[in-house]
Amino acid sequence: LFHAADAVVGVHGGALANIVFCRAGTAVAELGFRVPHTRHYDHMASALDLRYLLVPLVPRENGPGASSVRLPDPAAAAAVA
């Protein structure tokens, strides 16, 4: 599935590790947090020659471990459409 994909969209988590099977040039959009210790897939995409986009989520006061998040701007959803 990942090898045949032209684009992959996913929430930050272990399932995105499957981008290792994508072809060079595949677009990868990660819904995640803009903090240094969550940039795993950005680095992986760079090493694999994938086109990476972080769609930042806004955590609640308890940070990346929050049980709920929101997009900072409804227009951000257009970036992954």
Side-chain angles (χ1 to χ4, degrees):
L1 292 173
F2 281 78
H3 183 72
D6 292 323
V8 174
V9 178
V11 177
H12 177 87
L16 274 180
N18 287 307
I19 66 172
V20 73
F21 300 109
C22 290
R23 293 171 284 119
T26 299
V28 176
E30 175 189 5
L31 286 78
F33 299 101
R34 196 179 296 280
V35 292
H37 63 275
T38 61
R39 300 306 301 238
H40 322 306
Y41 304 110
D42 183 7
H43 295 280
M44 183 186 288
S46 178
L48 296 170
D49 196 26
L50 306 177
R51 295 177 298 133
Y52 176 85
L53 170 68
L54 174 65
V55 179
L57 298 173
V58 177
R60 294 186 338 175
E61 65 281 350
N62 56 340
S67 60
S68 65
V69 297
R70 65 181 175 81
L71 287 170
D73 177 2
V80 296

